[in-house]
Amino acid sequence: MDEIPVIIKNFVYENIKVYPGSSLVLHLLINSQIPENLLFRPILDDWLVDNGQVISISSSISPSYLYLVQGSQFSQKIIISLPSILQIGQKVKSWLRFPAIQEEAIPIQLEIVLPETEKNQNQVVEVSLPVTLPFSSRDGDLFSNALDKSTAGMFGLMSGLIDLDKIPSRWLVAEILASLSKKGEEYAQTEPGTQLLNQIRPTSFFQNGVIAFASAQIPNWIGDNIKSENTILGGQSLLAIWEKWLLNLVPAEQEPLEKKRETSVPGFLAEKFVAKLGGSADRWFAGILLGLAQISPLIAKKLQDIASKEATLDSDAWQRIPLSDRTTEATKSLLAVIPGLDTLPARWLVIELLLLLCQEGDKYRRTQAGSELLTQLSNTRFYQNGVLAFAAAEAPRWLVITQEAASAYQNSVGGDKNQGGWLTLASHWLWSLGATEFDEGQPNRDFSVSAEAVDALKASLGMDAERWFSCLVLGLALVLPRIATTWDAIASSIGVASILPTPSQQTIVKDVFCEAGSLQR
């Protein structure tokens, strides 16, 4: 097995001799020294022939993703299939890049040679490529740009936003449903949770939901996706990765507090929870409803109103009820939506969740409690690191572009702008399970944002990274009590004078689709 000598500072590389139609296998031996847990996927540029021609050569990466942890070593294989049209004596060059992790790239140059025998025509050339991230200078010292919390936060956010285009929505949906169900199971052990479950379980609303879940095999679908995600991400979960990024913004002087915090359920624990519930549609649907009731008082009140309006049935009656038209439609809706989660990237769902959190955070900011919390947080390094990361990654621009792209896609397939996205669809599906339409004629937007509200939010926040980050932080505090406790603990710590400049004027949101250049800029 050959080995490429890599000296990143001087970009030294050597020719790798390959044959037309052969395959090149790059064995990446990755050692991560980045003080940040990252979802990792390298990319290869198009290849440049020595005559100036640019060609695209197919390649595959196995495993597709790696979850890098500081101090650990990983291996990844890139298989490059060389076309037979390459001429003997030609040299082709590409660059192996690590988006949002490392600015420099590793140059790789291939020399096309004549096979010695016919047997060598389809030879597989294997090359070992050790990579330490971040790249080291000649004296072995790590570049200083990966040592502080603010820069690590920037790298993590940039990498995370790029990764959202590679991750299927089904993983995130399965995680959210499993997290809600786990929260609901815990809530069911309390007196208020038991009381609400006993009220809602006999209703036709609940029975229709259970039958739809069972008919569409939602419990098995959740379990399969949690297992698939767990395998590829090495026991991690998307929610846990993003929460760790957020909490890692806390500076070193607050690390004792940081270590005590509980993060989202990692993948391997989620898989155990899925195995515990098994294929019970009743337990899954009940857990999700109670989980929603925990994070939204409005949803809790709606569930109580449904229970008070519908006639009470005995505990086993739902098993004897035939499939109604409403149940059949609910099942068909689930079966129609699931395939779409396989094709659309997580970016489309994440933007809806972020907009919802930011909208609620913006409302909370206008209250006395929210204003006081934000004033305290704004003087901490945690808050400033987050704002700097948002600004460096151009998160506001990403939010606006993604939302407008999602809206444009919806219009292209014949959807109505006011119809809403995935969250609106989920809200309509849930409340349509009742015997009669709940609040008939009123838009069901308990966990979604209307198009008008989105436009108003974008106009209000503009491209102000601090405003967006503050709304996200406050929105998370409203949804997750343990996050609110963490923010209170950070805010009560000793703050520092703000290093962030105050914008002199409101930034106006432009129509980014009328600008020249790539959407990735």
Side-chain angles (χ1 to χ4, degrees):
M1 182 178 292
D2 301 323
E3 184 169 314
I4 303 175
V6 180
I7 303 177
I8 299 305
K9 186 173 182 180
N10 293 328
F11 291 92
V12 176
Y13 54 85
E14 68 179 15
N15 292 340
I16 305 173
K17 293 179 173 57
V18 294
Y19 308 107
S22 62
S23 295
L24 173 64
V25 180
L26 292 179
H27 294 274
L28 301 184
L29 307 177
I30 304 161
N31 179 18
S32 176
Q33 296 300 324
I34 299 177
E36 178 76 22
N37 297 339
L38 299 170
L39 194 61
F40 173 81
R41 178 182 171 91
I43 60 172
L44 271 172
D45 287 351
D46 285 339
W47 294 77
L48 178 65
V49 187
D50 51 10
N51 62 6
Q53 181 184 6
V54 177
I55 62 174
S56 179
I57 299 180
S58 63
S59 61
S60 62
I61 302 178
S62 178
S64 300
Y65 305 94
L66 287 177
Y67 185 66
L68 299 186
V69 179
Q70 183 180 12
S72 299
Q73 295 184 346
F74 308 87
S75 60
Q76 200 167 31
K77 182 168 64 176
I78 302 178
I79 302 176
I80 304 166
S81 300
L82 301 171
S84 301
I85 60 173
L86 292 174
Q87 302 298 315
I88 305 300
Q90 282 186 324
K91 293 182 180 180
V92 292
K93 183 191 301 182
S94 182
W95 288 262
L96 182 64
R97 300 189 184 277
F98 310 93
I101 296 179
Q102 187 68 52
E103 186 173 338
E104 295 87 349
I106 297 178
I108 298 174
Q109 181 165 296
L110 310 180
E111 182 180 359
I112 311 302
V113 298
L114 181 68
E116 297 177 359
T117 64
E118 187 67 25
K119 182 179 179 180
N120 291 333
Q121 181 69 32
N122 296 317
Q123 178 179 334
V124 175
V125 179
E126 298 189 66
V127 178
S128 175
L129 176 56
V131 178
T132 298
L133 296 173
F135 294 155
S136 300
S137 59
R138 279 190 149 178
D139 56 7
D141 295 332
L142 294 177
F143 289 125
S144 59
N145 63 356
L147 298 179
D148 60 275
K149 290 278 187 177
S150 60
T151 305
M154 296 175 196
F155 281 146
L157 183 58
M158 292 176 187
S159 175
L161 294 181
I162 292 173
D163 290 334
L164 291 177
D165 281 329
K166 310 170 187 174
I167 298 170
S169 292
R170 67 178 187 273
W171 286 2
L172 184 56
V173 172
E175 259 195 56
I176 292 174
L177 293 179
S179 298
L180 286 173
S181 187
K182 185 176 185 298
K183 182 180 288 288
E185 284 273 308
E186 295 170 353
Y187 185 42
Q189 305 304 315
T190 66
E191 184 176 348
T194 301
Q195 182 179 3
L196 178 59
L197 182 58
N198 290 337
Q199 289 176 337
I200 201 69
R201 175 165 267 149
T203 64
S204 61
F205 164 82
F206 181 85
Q207 297 157 15
N208 290 338
V210 171
I211 294 173
F213 259 46
S215 301
Q217 299 184 344
I218 297 300
N220 293 337
W221 181 85
I222 295 174
D224 290 343
N225 281 285
I226 291 291
K227 184 177 181 179
S228 172
E229 177 194 36
N230 188 22
T231 300
I232 294 178
L233 299 186
Q236 295 294 325
S237 69
L238 297 175
L239 295 178
I241 291 172
W242 277 93
E243 187 172 341
K244 285 179 181 178
W245 171 82
L246 187 62
L247 300 181
N248 280 339
L249 296 173
V250 179
E253 60 267 22
Q254 293 178 350
E255 281 185 356
L257 166 69
E258 190 176 6
K259 292 178 181 178
K260 294 179 182 178
R261 290 197 296 265
E262 174 191 3
T263 57
S264 297
V265 182
F268 67 93
L269 291 181
E271 194 169 348
K272 289 183 178 179
F273 175 74
V274 169
K276 174 185 174 183
L277 263 60
S280 174
D282 181 281
R283 291 187 66 181
W284 275 106
F285 189 63
I288 291 170
L289 286 182
L290 293 181
L292 288 171
Q294 272 271 276
I295 66 175
S296 171
L298 178 60
I299 293 178
K301 185 177 185 307
K302 278 199 172 186
L303 292 176
Q304 292 170 348
D305 289 344
I306 289 175
S308 64
K309 287 182 179 181
E310 292 200 19
T312 303
L313 306 176
D314 62 89
S315 59
D316 296 326
W318 67 271
Q319 299 180 5
R320 304 189 299 269
I321 296 179
L323 284 172
S324 64
D325 292 339
R326 191 174 296 273
T327 307
T328 303
E329 289 301 317
T331 303
K332 289 181 178 178
S333 297
L334 286 178
L335 293 175
V337 165
I338 287 176
L341 298 176
D342 293 336
T343 56
L344 290 179
R347 177 181 187 176
W348 303 98
L349 179 58
V350 168
I351 186 62
E352 293 188 43
L353 294 171
L354 290 177
L355 288 173
L356 176 60
L357 288 171
C358 289
Q359 176 186 251
E360 296 304 312
D362 192 43
K363 295 177 182 177
Y364 186 37
R365 180 182 59 85
R366 295 185 175 92
T367 66
Q368 182 177 353
S371 177
E372 291 177 355
L373 175 59
L374 182 58
T375 300
Q376 291 176 306
L377 281 176
S378 63
N379 290 322
T380 65
R381 287 291 182 186
F382 156 77
Y383 180 87
Q384 295 167 9
N385 288 341
V387 173
L388 289 173
F390 259 49
E394 297 191 43
R397 185 181 188 85
W398 180 90
L399 286 162
V400 172
I401 289 176
T402 301
Q403 189 277 326
E404 293 193 4
S407 179
Y409 172 78
Q410 185 177 350
N411 292 336
S412 70
V413 295
D416 182 3
K417 177 181 178 182
N418 298 318
Q419 184 177 347
W422 288 102
L423 296 182
T424 303
L425 182 65
S427 183
H428 280 300
W429 179 87
L430 180 63
W431 302 125
S432 69
L433 295 172
T436 58
E437 288 289 352
F438 190 78
D439 289 341
E440 188 172 0
Q442 299 297 323
N444 294 314
R445 297 190 180 275
D446 309 298
F447 35 91
S448 62
V449 187
S450 67
E452 295 80 5
V454 168
D455 292 339
L457 184 67
K458 291 189 300 182
S460 173
L461 303 185
M463 293 294 170
D464 191 331
E466 182 172 3
R467 289 281 305 279
W468 281 101
F469 183 72
S470 65
C471 289
L472 175 60
V473 167
L474 293 179
L476 287 170
L478 286 177
V479 174
L480 299 173
R482 58 186 173 81
I483 291 291
T485 302
T486 301
W487 294 170
D488 287 336
I490 294 175
S492 63
S493 64
I494 299 177
V496 295
S498 176
I499 62 173
L500 300 173
T502 301
S504 58
Q505 60 183 5
Q506 173 71 34
T507 304
I508 305 300
V509 181
K510 297 184 292 184
D511 183 359
V512 296
F513 286 104
C514 293
E515 298 181 11
S518 168
L519 291 179
Q520 294 293 338
R521 63 197 187 280

